[in-house]
Amino acid sequence: MFKNYITIALRNILRHKTYSFINIFGFTIGIASCLLILLYITHEMSYDRFHEKADRTYRLAGDAKIGNAEVATAHSPAPTAAGFRNEFPEVEDATRFFNPGEQVTRYQDKLFNETGLLYADDNFFGVFDFRLLQGDPATALLEPNSIVLTEESALKYFGTEPAIGEILTIGNDNTAYEVTGVVQNPPDNSHFDFNMLLSMSSSDRGESDVWLNLFLYTYIVLREGNSPEALEAKFPGLYQKYMAPQLQQFAGISWEDFEEQGNRIGFFLQPLTSIHLHSNLDSELSPGGNPINLYIFSAIALFILLIACINFMNLSTARSASRAREVGVRKVLGSARSNLVRQFITESILFSILATILAIGVVELVLVPFNNIAGINLTFRLFNHWWMTASLVALTILVGIIAGSYPAFYLASFKPVDVLKGENRVGKQSGRFRSGLVVFQFAFSIGLIISTMLVFRQLGYVRNKDLGFDKENVIIIPNINRLGNRVAAFRQELKEQSPIINASTSSAIPAHSGFGGTLFKAEPPEDTGEGPTFTEEDQEFNNFSADYDYLETMKMELIGGRNFSPEFASDSAAFIINEAVARRFGWEDPVGRDIYVTGWEGQPRYRVVGVIKDYHFESLHKDIKPVVMSLGTTGNYLMARIQPGDVNKTLTMIEDKWREFAPNIPFDYSFMDEDFDALFRAEQSFGRIVSYFTGLTIFIACLGLFGLAAFTAERRTKEVGIRKALGASVPQVVGLLGKEFTTLLLIANVIAWPIAWYAMSKWLQNFAYRISLSWWTFLVAGALALLIALVTVSYQAVKAATANPVEALRYE
Amino acid sequence: MIRTNDLKKVYTTEEVETTALNSVNLEINQGEFVAIMGPSGCGKSTLLNVLGLLDSPSDGEYYFLDQEVSAFSERQRASLRKQNIGFVFQSFNLIDELTVYENVELPLLYLGVPSKERKKQVTEALDQMAITHRKDHFPQQLSGGQQQRVAVARAVVGRPQLLLADEPTGNLDSIHGDEVMKILAELHEKGTTIVIVTHAPQYADYGSRLIHLLDGHVVTENLKGVSNA
């Protein structure tokens, strides 16, 4: 019997090719989308789980409030690891590492700027399971000046020659490091990446005993059966023992006074496996994933599948007339309803099986482009995880059952007496249900169109927004201090070149790191004789230093006072502030006012000499914060504003100059506009993924509509024939058929608009600077969907309308 | 085999109530060949559908093989049907997606006949209808007469006690019509009870009994020969 079901199903698939194509194609895309998203989710959830002790490993993160400044950071101080090991028996192990920033690394004549350096404790490999390919994990990081390279780095420096025992020199002081191990490249699903591990004992920073300086990363392994909450409960004792004395020593304030003034400083534990998706602190090691995006993508993938299922339901019921006779015959021959239901569900599962096979191929094909768009590196190995295979099988059967149930019960309910007479009365009753499903499909499509449009409008907005300075045609050269005492000469040399309009050095540049945070106050600190206070009046401002040419190079607008000038010796103790500073202090006329560094009597004082218009030095996700600029020529960045035109030639020229000044230091640069764009990379890839999904959704929905229109046209063949015989014109008939679907589309719009409105307002709240939800976006999206739908339907409508009426009437 | 008592069938739509069968009392014995005649719309097909357990009566009693079946559920009727009743239709009603062989095999699948036995019975039925050479063809590739022979083969392959035929010759020319009627006559001779609805008097004569229906009533009921007397 089962064979008979399969036989008839396959013959039906082959005979009704359009119908089969629409269904299988829709299922394929739906299942492929789900599969891709499943891979994506799996990847995101797999972060850091490859470490054997992952489930009991925690990162120690810092949490502080000083003055009005709140800090939550992934950093912790150097002595905590040893402190935790000594104080808490439930701590099995604790390891630390820190990133020294970009370093020049040399091997013979090879010279690279390396950013992926970590100074790591000797027990690094005891906590993290990065496999050593060569060397001993227990001792590789023990001795000072040891270095462990990743496979990739070893290849880069030594090719296929053995790396162990070779010497690399690192940093400006050319410290020699001996290679003691080669480690596998950290996998994609590690929340931190590195290409070289240096022994912590090589750096004196690891020996720091200051509990108040948070600059490295500490990971703690708890012994089996201990909860992080229980450990956290013991933290206050630790604070009293180690931090309170240091607070008194360094800041001159007792722990009790400090807390009484509303301040706090402390730590908390983050499960290692939740860092990637759920941690968003300062100084994260990598940008991290966004769980919201996972939900959105999952929802979209499931909806695409649902839309494909709806196509199946719609088309199956619409063309039920052609299966009605079979149902009748089978019933006459003694088939029970349940037999028929089983038959039709078998058939829909067959469709979904075929689609799943195709979907696997599709995923193989699109995985590389998808990875590029999403900026990830997924791999697809179907049989690697049993649950992957199992969920695919489950999905296949589920799709078959969801899509097949309604048509199965619908078809199986036909009465043989009705259907065997040759009268095609069936297939009409389910019309309202089908319309409902079409409305649902298009409501979803329209919602997606609106969302895509708004995502791209917002991205366009942030890209083109006036930032308060001109980010175009600016080349940034980092690590300028490597030139030592020739920085000024180099800058001067560049300024004299004709393609370069201006050049400036600074300690921080927009969209980059380098902005320090310091507490300031508007009034001089009182000498209470009891040490400093940290209260709400202490404002945390970003601060940086720059030279005389900074404002001009950046094209920033001075709206009060003046720029720094060599004519005023006093400018060494002067600030140029942005408007946000004045606002925060409530100053109407800031020029000439003094700003004090929080602390006690004798702390430096700065006079405000100029005010610049607020500018976006951070991503547009964030409000513009107060920032103060002091005069300084020791900044590590050089910015060169260049003439538009042959950028490559200018770049080559700059590089040649660099080589003249520093033949042994690799040249590095970036473009400021690209750095800014990079801040929105996540949103851009999000937008692109959503737009592809939108395209697919609309396409599948339209395929369904196309099929449905075909059957509607067929069903109304007689009506069209009669109308034409009575003198209806082709446009009138096309209009008649189009009207039915136009109504559905309008209803779909009414449903889609408020939902899209709500969802997109939520999304836009990610941005401090955002577009408004203009009504025309909704109108355009609705019109677009209507247009696409009408084009789809019109093919069938025109076909029906231009047919010879005699043909149509003879049909009965 | 069949006995009806005051059988009624009323179709109700939103506004109209149509009485298709009105107080039909009928008895058909094992081995009979009954022909039902009457003008269009007199309820012939309705009667056949009710007798064939495709439709249930609105009122009255229906004894099939001494069981009162008028209140049977769909499932019970389907079960009774597949074991005892074969159908032949005017429009053949073969399944287009199945070959001749597979069409004939279908009732045996629903009866749960094992594969070997199935093959034997299908081959026999096809031989009997002289259609074996066409067994791998699809219905559309056959002439009307051939299709109806396949339909008859399908109706009898499960060896039902009762064969119901609703204008089996209606879509056929006279040569093919004669052919099909001869086959039915042969089946009758071998002991199958046959009820046939027809418009054509010459075919009605194949029957051993003739029933005239008009507006849902049985108007005459003659044994063969009596109608012509």
Side-chain angles (χ1 to χ4, degrees), chain A residues 430-447:
Chain A
S430 58
R432 184 165 300 174
F433 181 72
R434 281 203 298 275
S435 302
L437 293 177
V438 169
V439 166
F440 171 82
Q441 288 182 310
F442 273 86
F444 186 68
S445 302
I446 292 164

Side-chain angles (χ1 to χ4, degrees), chain A residues 221-284:
Chain A
V221 182
L222 293 186
R223 289 185 203 284
E224 305 271 6
N226 286 289
S227 85
E229 292 79 16
L231 182 60
E232 278 176 336
K234 296 184 182 175
F235 283 5
L238 194 83
Y239 302 158
Q240 284 299 336
K241 185 167 175 185
Y242 293 102
M243 296 169 76
Q246 293 192 353
L247 190 71
Q248 185 70 52
Q249 182 190 343
F250 294 116
I253 182 171
S254 73
W255 189 265
E256 290 68 31
D257 287 349
F258 181 73
E259 285 193 328
E260 214 160 88
Q261 288 164 18
N263 305 300
R264 63 169 196 277
I265 180 164
F267 310 114
F268 61 100
L269 296 171
Q270 295 180 292
L272 177 66
T273 51
S274 78
I275 290 174
H276 174 69
L277 278 178
H278 301 290
S279 175
N280 189 18
L281 306 177
D282 288 348
S283 308
E284 286 289 351

Side-chain angles (χ1 to χ4, degrees), chain A residues 1 4 7-8 11-12 15-16 325-326 329-336 338-339 416-417 420-421, chain B residues 45 49 54-55 75 78 81-82 87 89 93-99 102 106 109-110 138 140 154:
Chain A
M1 180 55 80
N4 180 272
T7 307
I8 205 155
R11 287 186 190 147
N12 263 309
R15 179 167 301 178
H16 307 283
R325 204 162 57 118
E326 180 188 335
V329 171
R330 282 180 182 273
K331 282 199 168 176
V332 165
L333 297 180
S335 167
S338 56
N339 292 108
V417 187
L420 290 179
K421 273 290 170 186
Chain B
S45 294
N49 288 338
L54 291 176
D55 216 345
R75 178 177 283 276
R81 201 157 64 213
K82 71 180 172 191
F87 284 91
F89 300 94
N93 281 330
L94 297 175
I95 296 177
D96 292 341
E97 283 76 20
L98 295 179
T99 62
E102 289 160 345
L106 205 50
L109 289 172
Y110 284 112
F138 286 95
Q140 311 90 294
R154 186 178 64 184

Side-chain angles (χ1 to χ4, degrees), chain A residues 470-488:
Chain A
D470 183 3
K471 69 181 187 322
E472 310 296 326
N473 300 310
V474 177
I475 293 174
I476 296 166
I477 304 168
N479 303 313
I480 193 83
N481 283 342
R482 286 180 190 157
L483 295 176
N485 54 13
R486 291 192 293 171
V487 173

Side-chain angles (χ1 to χ4, degrees), chain A residues 136-194:
Chain A
D136 178 0
T139 59
L141 291 170
L142 198 57
E143 299 299 322
N145 295 15
S146 302
I147 186 167
V148 172
L149 302 182
T150 59
E151 258 179 295
E152 196 183 298
S153 301
L155 194 70
K156 183 162 128 187
Y157 284 90
F158 307 111
T160 51
E161 299 293 312
I164 300 276
E166 294 293 330
I167 304 290
L168 289 178
T169 58
I170 294 176
N172 293 346
D173 50 359
N174 287 331
T175 311
Y177 287 83
E178 184 188 342
V179 179
T180 53
V182 176
V183 65
Q184 61 164 152
N185 296 326
D188 288 317
N189 56 355
S190 166
H191 81 279
F192 64 95
D193 194 17
F194 56 86

